[in-house]
Amino acid sequence: QVQLVESGGGLVQAGGSLRLSCAASGIIFEINAMGWYRQAPGKQRELVAVITNSGITNYIDSVKGRFTISGDNAKNTVDLQMNNLKPEDTAVYYCNVRVRVGLSMGNYWGQGTQVIVSS
């Protein structure tokens, strides 16, 4: 049974920091990448940051220089260090694991963790 367990969300004042963590277990396919998405009220889910199994990272423009993603391939974990948080970062953050299934790609999702940034 696949499980993605997230932790680290919460309430923080603008300018503060939070660290999100995600641990994946039970995945039998090759992991291609792990990342974090977020969804604010009334908005579509968007990719925040991703790290591939070779260590390549990519960030949405609005978080560049403030957020850092890191991963551990051996432990199937991914963290997101969020600094200088802004009220517009408020959202539910979801851990994502992208796997290779034959010639196709599949996705696993965490249950989401709430991040609220007060002004």
Side-chain angles (χ1 to χ4, degrees):
Q1 181 180 357
V2 174
Q3 282 190 316
L4 272 64
V5 179
E6 301 159 338
S7 61
L11 172 65
V12 65
Q13 288 188 331
S17 298
L18 285 174
R19 187 177 184 88
L20 305 183
S21 296
C22 175
S25 62
I27 297 178
I28 62 172
F29 301 109
E30 174 191 355
I31 293 178
N32 177 264
M34 299 182 74
W36 290 91
Y37 286 68
R38 67 186 180 189
Q39 187 166 18
K43 295 188 177 181
Q44 290 188 330
R45 189 174 298 190
E46 62 179 0
L47 174 65
V48 177
V50 63
I51 183 167
T52 70
N53 58 5
S54 58
I56 297 171
T57 60
N58 194 26
Y59 300 88
I60 192 173
D61 285 346
S62 61
V63 308
K64 287 180 180 178
R66 301 189 297 122
F67 290 11
T68 302
I69 191 169
S70 58
D72 187 324
N73 289 340
K75 297 180 179 179
N76 288 345
T77 59
V78 61
D79 293 341
L80 185 68
Q81 177 66 42
M82 305 185 293
N83 298 329
N84 190 21
L85 282 159
K86 302 177 180 181
E88 51 264 42
D89 295 317
T90 295
V92 178
Y93 284 69
Y94 296 90
C95 177
N96 170 264
V97 176
R98 190 172 69 204
V99 298
R100 185 178 303 278
V101 184
L103 298 179
S104 302
M105 304 299 289
N107 288 282
Y108 294 106
W109 294 94
Q111 77 283 1
T113 185
Q114 179 75 58
V115 171
I116 299 174
V117 184
S118 63
S119 56

